[in-house]
């Protein structure tokens, strides 16, 4: 079970407090309507690396960009980080097979309905760690898989 609060997952300390779920192109009738973007997630820190704890709901073709993070800095700069199916994330409801490379499995658990659940860690190397990261936008792409975000850690 994934607990709230600080915990080490995939060799990184994350503060887990909830989940941000974005929409997919193909919604199942009766499913809740999720937004296609969440803008302005506050950061306000300098860091050499940003670590994302995330996954997807739904299946897409390998390499398809299912979303992206837009990292905004205090000098007005921005970096776009693609979320590619099969490279940064796959569907979190997994069969027992190992995750394909280069995915980094950060957490594995189970539920009554699913014997294997997984969350993945993606690390972004900040090219300008001396400039403050002010905020992050989290955007979905029009695909069959919907990304979701559990936590972000800024590594000083």
């Amino acid at each position: 079970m994934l607990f709230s609060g600080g915990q080490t997952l995939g060799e990184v300390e994350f503060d887990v407090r909830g989940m941000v779920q974005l929409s997919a192109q193909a919604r199942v009738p009766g499913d809740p309507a999720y937004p296609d973007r969440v803008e302005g997630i506050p950061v306000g820190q300098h860091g050499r690396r940003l670590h994302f704890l995330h996954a997807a709901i739904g299946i897409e073709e390998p390499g398809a960009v299912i979303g992206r993070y837009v990292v905004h800095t205090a000098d007005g700069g921005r970096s776009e980080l693609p979320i590619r199916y099969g490279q940064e994330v796959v569907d979190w409801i997994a069969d027992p097979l190992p995750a394909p490379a280069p995915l980094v499995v950060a957490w594995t658990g189970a539920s009554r309905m699913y014997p294997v659940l997984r969350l993945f860690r993606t690390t972004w190397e900040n090219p300008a760690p001396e400039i403050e990261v002010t905020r992050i936008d989290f955007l979905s792409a029009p695909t069959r898989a919907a990304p979701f975000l559990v936590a972000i850690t800024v590594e000083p």
Side-chain angles (χ1 to χ4, degrees):
M1 172 175 270
L2 185 64
F3 297 98
S4 293
Q7 53 200 295
T8 301
L9 303 167
E11 302 178 357
V12 172
E13 182 72 21
F14 285 101
D15 184 3
V16 175
R17 297 185 189 193
M19 180 176 92
V20 179
Q21 173 69 59
L22 296 182
S23 66
Q25 180 179 40
R27 282 188 51 236
V28 175
D31 277 357
Y34 295 109
D36 63 357
R37 63 183 54 226
V38 174
E39 296 178 301
I41 299 169
V43 178
Q45 296 181 50
H46 296 81
R48 294 180 298 123
R49 294 181 187 98
L50 273 67
H51 303 279
F52 299 88
L53 182 64
H54 56 174
I57 295 175
I59 297 172
E60 188 50 80
E61 294 296 321
V65 175
I66 67 166
R68 67 185 185 276
Y69 298 106
V70 181
V71 178
H72 297 270
T73 54
D75 66 349
R78 59 183 264 151
S79 297
E80 293 197 17
L81 317 175
I83 305 168
R84 296 165 295 193
Y85 195 87
Q87 294 182 13
E88 283 78 30
V89 299
V90 292
D91 188 275
W92 83 308
I93 300 168
D95 60 36
L97 298 175
L103 290 168
V104 177
V105 177
W107 174 84
T108 302
S111 72
R112 285 181 274 145
M113 292 180 61
Y114 303 106
V116 180
L117 299 171
R118 297 180 294 194
L119 296 176
F120 305 92
R121 176 184 50 84
T122 298
T123 299
W124 176 66
E125 298 286 337
N126 187 352
E130 70 283 358
I131 301 171
E132 177 184 303
V133 174
T134 57
R135 70 188 191 280
I136 297 173
D137 301 332
F138 181 35
L139 312 169
S140 180
T143 65
R144 294 173 301 210
F148 68 89
L149 173 65
V150 176
I152 301 172
T153 292
V154 179
E155 182 181 326

